[in-house]
Amino acid sequence: MLKRTMVLTVLAALFAAAAAAQVEAPPPATGGPRYEVYLGGAYSRLRQVPNSYSGLVGGKAALGRDFGKYFQLFGAVDYYRLGVGHSYIPEKGNPTITTFMFGPEIHAQLYGSLSGELFGELGAEHTGNEHMTPTVSFAGGFGGGLTYSLTHRWALRLGGDRVGASFSLPNNTPQLAYSTHRTWNARYTGGVVFHF
């Protein structure tokens, strides 16, 4: 009888302490920035166009919305036009790449003002001025980055991803059945983030 009373007393004390801790706990922070805009420069490999530049330089713009502390959904547009590399090729053409991607991201603070993110992405990639078939391909990939917060609203970000798409060889013909070839392009970005 004494043991049972003692056990019930200890359990009651634990429940009372847990209830008191919940009442005294500060409310979670709300009202902080939930959206972010990213603008920056970018570089992409150009594996789908043989006998051309090794890569293209361009820009990236993205809009993201946070859902909780660690999760975000984003949409991004990339455009690449300025060719670099393979200076020995006499006629490199005039290729462009445009991508429209969206997907989920997880992010967390790593140390002080430095945070990291990992993301997956799906969308479409367009290769222009090279007579590709199709000119637009389903695309997808994965990547990550590091963000350094300058203030509550402004930050700097470096990132990279790897995007896969399927295009035929340039100037392909119906006799070759427009056979597609999957390619993976590594891409790198650096720019500014604004939270609001």
Side-chain angles (χ1 to χ4, degrees):
M1 178 81 173
L2 184 59
K3 284 186 178 181
R4 188 170 59 177
T5 305
M6 199 162 152
V7 169
L8 290 176
T9 304
V10 169
L11 287 175
L14 288 174
F15 281 121
Q22 287 181 354
V23 170
E24 295 173 8
T30 58
R34 298 191 71 171
Y35 293 89
E36 71 174 35
V37 173
Y38 170 85
L39 293 172
Y43 167 84
S44 175
R45 293 283 295 176
L46 183 61
R47 297 187 180 276
Q48 66 266 38
V49 183
N51 299 319
S52 185
Y53 297 102
S54 61
L56 298 176
V57 175
K60 177 175 182 173
L63 174 65
R65 185 184 193 279
D66 285 333
F67 293 89
K69 186 175 180 181
Y70 301 107
F71 183 74
Q72 181 185 94
L73 290 177
F74 71 91
V77 177
D78 296 72
Y79 179 73
Y80 305 89
R81 183 178 185 96
L82 178 63
V84 293
H86 289 182
S87 59
Y88 57 87
I89 297 175
E91 295 183 18
K92 302 180 201 61
N94 188 28
T96 64
I97 301 176
T98 308
T99 61
F100 303 91
M101 308 290 270
F102 66 93
E105 173 189 292
I106 56 172
H107 51 261
Q109 187 172 356
L110 299 176
Y111 180 78
S113 298
L114 186 67
S115 61
E117 51 268 351
L118 296 172
F119 57 87
E121 53 197 345
L122 292 174
E125 181 173 279
H126 168 72
T127 302
N129 302 329
E130 289 295 326
H131 308 291
M132 309 294 278
T133 305
T135 59
V136 178
S137 169
F138 174 78
F142 55 91
L146 294 172
T147 301
Y148 185 82
S149 296
L150 300 172
T151 67
H152 182 60
R153 298 201 178 269
W154 291 96
L156 299 176
R157 177 172 295 162
L158 294 175
D161 59 0
R162 194 162 186 249
V163 174
S166 295
F167 293 96
S168 73
L169 296 174
N171 300 309
N172 208 346
T173 65
Q175 290 77 19
L176 296 177
Y178 296 122
S179 176
T180 55
H181 302 270
R182 183 178 296 118
T183 56
W184 289 90
N185 288 331
R187 309 190 307 179
Y188 308 98
T189 63
V192 178
V193 181
F194 178 70
H195 299 275
F196 63 99

